[in-house]
Amino acid sequence: MSLTSLGLTGEQERLYRHLLRRPPTAVDTAVEGPALAELRALGLVDGTLTAVHPAVAVDLLVRRRLNQTQRQLTELSLAWDVLTELAEEHRSGRPVQLVEHLPDGPTVTRRMRTLMNDDPGEFTHLKERAFYQQTGYAVAPFNGLLARGMRSRTLFSAHALHDPDQEPHARSQHALGDLHRITTEPIRHLAIVNRAVAFVQADPADPQAGALQIHQPGMVAMLADVFDGMWARARELDELPLSPIERQVLHALTCHDTDEVAARSLNVSVRKFRAHIADLMAHLGAATRFQAALLAKERGWL
C-alpha cells in the first residue's frame, strides 16, 4: 500500500522509506531538500534525520487526513445553510439573511407568531419574568397555538418571584401546556422556534434595541443545547423553595434597615412582620436573621 493514500507525495514517501531503511549510524548528505523539510514538518523525521517508527508515522498521517476530512465536511455542511436560506426565501417570498436585526419588540413578536402559526411545532423561551404586562404580546393567540398541539417550555428567573403575580401566571400557563421552570442562573433573553430559528436580544444593555433573528443551523443548535442544559438544571414549579409571602419577607428583610420600614413595604404591622420572620427562620433552620440571609443566598433564593 502506498503512503500517498494517506496524503504523502511520491517524493516524500520515497525519502521516508529511504530513511527508514538507512542504518542509524549512516551519514547521508544527499537527503537534504524540500521533501526532507516537509517530512520534518509532518513529524515523520526527527532532527537527526531519523525516520520515526512506522506505527507513529501512520498514526500521524491518519490523524492528519481525519482533520482534513473534518474540515471538508464542515465546508460541505455550509450547503445546508444555503438550503435553509433558499427554502425560507421560497416560503416567504422575500430575501432572507442568516442573521437579521429586528428593530423592536412588536416586530419580534410578529415574526415569531408568523413562524409558529405556519408550523406550531416547538417553542422554547428563556426570559427574566414569566410575563410582561406591556410587551404587547397577547396570551390568547399563544394559548391557541398550545391548543393546536404546540409544545412549549418557558424558563424564567427566580428573581421574578418577588412579584406575587408571576407565580400564578406561570402556573396557569403550565396547566395549559406551556411548561414552566425556574432558574437561578444568569438570564439572557432567548426564544427558539422549532429548533430552527432563534431570537436573541440585540444589545444586552438596551432592551429597546430589538433582537437578532438567527437562521444559521449550527448557531441555533448550540443555543438550543444551552437552553436544554439550563432546563435540566432548573426547578419545577412544585419545587418552589418559598411561599410568596416568605419570598416577600425575605426580600424586605434584605432591602430595608429596620423592621418598621420593612413592615410598611409589605403593608403589615411590625408584629406580623416579625412573626413572618420567625416562620421564615424556622423554614430555613436558621438561628439568626443574618444566618437566614446567608442560607437563602446559598440556595439561590436571593
Side-chain angles (χ1 to χ4, degrees), residues 64-76:
R64 180 168 176 264
R65 286 303 303 272
L66 287 174
N67 289 336
Q68 291 173 339
T69 301
Q70 182 62 49
R71 287 195 296 270
Q72 290 170 347
L73 288 173
T74 300
E75 292 171 0
L76 287 174

Side-chain angles (χ1 to χ4, degrees), residues 158-193:
H159 294 294
L161 295 174
H162 293 148
D163 177 353
D165 294 330
Q166 295 292 315
E167 184 183 340
H169 175 85
R171 289 189 179 278
S172 66
Q173 289 301 111
H174 188 89
L176 292 173
D178 178 16
L179 304 182
H180 279 59
R181 286 185 182 179
I182 300 164
T183 181
T184 57
E185 297 182 49
I187 291 286
R188 294 291 188 192
H189 284 257
L190 167 68
I192 305 174
V193 180

Side-chain angles (χ1 to χ4, degrees), residues 4-16:
T4 56
S5 63
L6 295 179
L8 290 188
T9 66
E11 183 180 359
Q12 290 170 343
E13 180 176 358
R14 285 191 296 272
L15 180 55
Y16 173 75

Side-chain angles (χ1 to χ4, degrees), residues 223-299:
L223 292 171
D225 288 344
V226 169
F227 180 91
D228 288 343
M230 293 184 68
W231 179 265
R233 295 187 296 272
R235 293 191 179 111
E236 299 282 358
L237 289 176
D238 290 337
E239 298 173 353
L240 290 179
L242 297 175
S243 68
I245 186 61
E246 286 175 325
R247 288 194 296 272
Q248 294 176 49
V249 169
L250 181 60
H251 182 66
L253 183 63
T254 58
C255 291
H256 301 291
D257 295 331
T258 66
D259 287 356
E260 289 74 15
V261 175
R264 282 200 300 272
S265 73
L266 297 180
N267 198 28
V268 298
S269 67
V270 174
R271 181 178 178 180
K272 185 66 174 177
F273 178 72
R274 289 171 177 165
H276 283 314
I277 291 177
D279 292 340
L280 178 63
M281 290 170 59
H283 186 161
L284 289 166
T288 66
R289 295 184 179 193
F290 180 72
Q291 186 182 15
L294 286 179
L295 290 171
K297 183 69 173 177
E298 288 176 359
R299 297 177 191 182

Side-chain angles (χ1 to χ4, degrees), residues 85-229:
E85 184 176 349
L86 293 175
E88 179 62 18
E89 289 193 9
H90 177 69
R91 186 197 67 79
S92 65
R94 59 182 176 79
V96 173
Q97 298 173 321
L98 290 180
V99 178
E100 179 182 358
H101 179 245
L102 306 180
D104 51 43
T107 303
V108 174
T109 298
R110 286 194 298 271
R111 190 66 61 85
M112 287 194 296
R113 187 169 293 158
T114 297
L115 291 169
M116 289 186 284
N117 283 333
D118 289 346
D119 182 8
E122 180 183 3
F123 181 66
T124 54
H125 204 180
L126 177 63
K127 54 185 181 177
E128 286 281 355
R129 300 168 67 83
F131 79 103
Y132 298 84
Q133 294 180 338
Q134 298 179 344
T135 58
Y137 188 87
V139 175
F142 183 81
N143 290 347
L145 293 168
L146 294 175
R148 289 171 58 187
M150 184 178 73
R151 303 177 305 279
S152 181
R153 291 179 294 164
T154 296
L155 187 58
F156 69 101
S157 174
H159 294 294
L161 295 174
H162 293 148
D163 177 353
D165 294 330
Q166 295 292 315
E167 184 183 340
H169 175 85
R171 289 189 179 278
S172 66
Q173 289 301 111
H174 188 89
L176 292 173
D178 178 16
L179 304 182
H180 279 59
R181 286 185 182 179
I182 300 164
T183 181
T184 57
E185 297 182 49
I187 291 286
R188 294 291 188 192
H189 284 257
L190 167 68
I192 305 174
V193 180
N194 295 327
R195 302 183 80 88
V197 183
F199 298 82
V200 299
Q201 193 169 318
D203 183 353
D206 183 7
Q208 307 303 317
L212 299 179
Q213 178 176 327
I214 303 170
H215 291 271
Q216 206 285 329
M219 190 176 299
V220 175
M222 180 189 69
L223 292 171
D225 288 344
V226 169
F227 180 91
D228 288 343

